[in-house]
Amino acid sequence: MMKCQADLFDLPGDEVYLNGAYMSPQLRSVTQVGAQQLSRKGSPSGISIDDFFQPKKELRTLFNELIHGEDESNVAIIPSVSYAMANVAANIDFKEGDEIVLLHEQFPSNYYTWENLVRSKEVKLVIVPDPKIEKGRGERWNQQLLAAINANTKVVAVPQVHWADGTLFDLAAIRKRADEFGAYLIVDGTQSVGAYPFSVEEIRPDALICAGYKWLMGPYSIGLAYFGPRFHQGKPIEDNWMNHQGSEDFARLVHYNPELKKGGVRYDVGESSNFILVPMLIRALKQLLEWTPEAIQDYTHRITSDALEALNQLDVFVEEVSFRSSHLFGIYLPQHMAMETVREQLKIAGIYVSYRGNAVRVSPGVYNTQEDLTLLVNCFKNF
């Protein structure tokens, strides 16, 4: 059974950080790797040809293991979610009248790419609204999402866990429904993968896209994306020297090769060998695999259960556990609680959360304790 891992981080002792969905705190070991790598370019003769490729292979292998994928060559190294979304959208053959199913208030990087297609391809966005804030909300939202998928649906682009309030979506059911109509399933795993179990084998997403600086516990400006078979013959949005076959032979780079690498590797961003960020993310993924997402969910469930029970007695709304994650959940306030007053109370108490839409977004991690959640609840008891 996992215990608190706060000693592996450098969080200030006078604050309660319940904001991993905003940005994870950095492991000391990841910081150390970054510092070591930063100094390497001072003596560039020590950077070998293998350094351009071997660390990337290790990173892909670790991520592939985390998501239970079939082959690390299906994993691309990306700078952002929007970059991978652009590659996805560019490699789907849209026709006028095709529908793209999205969720209400999902993250902008999983919206703007699709919204642009409304003008350029004359497709239609189908936004599945969030139900009324009351018992059974998460279940109804899942039902409405499934009902929105039909013969006109070309793409279903959704998160596993909603970034604003932690609502959990049944990706296996969504995949089954999408298959009925041959629709693509594009999953934004940024707010779940690493902290919540995910299986490519089970879900069979056409693409799974994850920023690295949240629940993958890595640095900013690097992420990872799985691309399934439907994208393996696609054309990336950029041609860089490393996503072409034969790039490992520097002496022959003057002999241009138009053939792209096989699998998802072809969607790597240029300069994907990033000698600082890649090793940092490698170290972070090694730690996650040692912990396991299952253990992280169990830990965050244990430290939040009593607090959530206490909050329910205060007339706030938190989704029932079967339709939300334990590492990220939204607190919706009753009418007598003003959001600005809540924000002030939490600020005074040194408690860091986020505010997304109408929800107070709470996202604990393995560095938090049950006592941290008790302090959170006490701020709501002042009303």
Side-chain angles (χ1 to χ4, degrees), residues 156-206:
V156 182
V158 295
Q160 181 181 27
V161 168
H162 199 287
W163 77 299
D165 64 8
T167 302
L168 182 64
F169 293 93
D170 186 348
L171 294 180
I174 296 166
R175 172 77 273 175
K176 182 178 179 181
R177 179 69 171 167
D179 281 344
E180 293 177 21
F181 304 104
Y184 288 77
L185 175 59
I186 311 302
V187 179
D188 179 0
T190 297
Q191 291 290 14
S192 58
V193 174
Y196 196 94
F198 187 95
S199 171
V200 165
E201 183 179 17
E202 177 188 356
I203 304 302
R204 296 181 294 105
D206 294 295

Side-chain angles (χ1 to χ4, degrees), residues 21 43 48 68 92 186 208 221 258 274 291 295 334-335 345 356 359 380:
S43 180
S48 70
H68 303 286
I92 296 176
I186 311 302
L208 168 69
S221 297
N274 194 307
W291 287 333
Q335 288 187 348
Q345 290 286 333
R356 298 293 183 264
F380 288 86

Side-chain angles (χ1 to χ4, degrees), residues 72-87:
E72 72 273 3
S73 68
N74 295 332
V75 176
I77 298 170
I78 59 172
S80 63
V81 169
S82 57
Y83 182 89
M85 287 292 176
N87 271 294

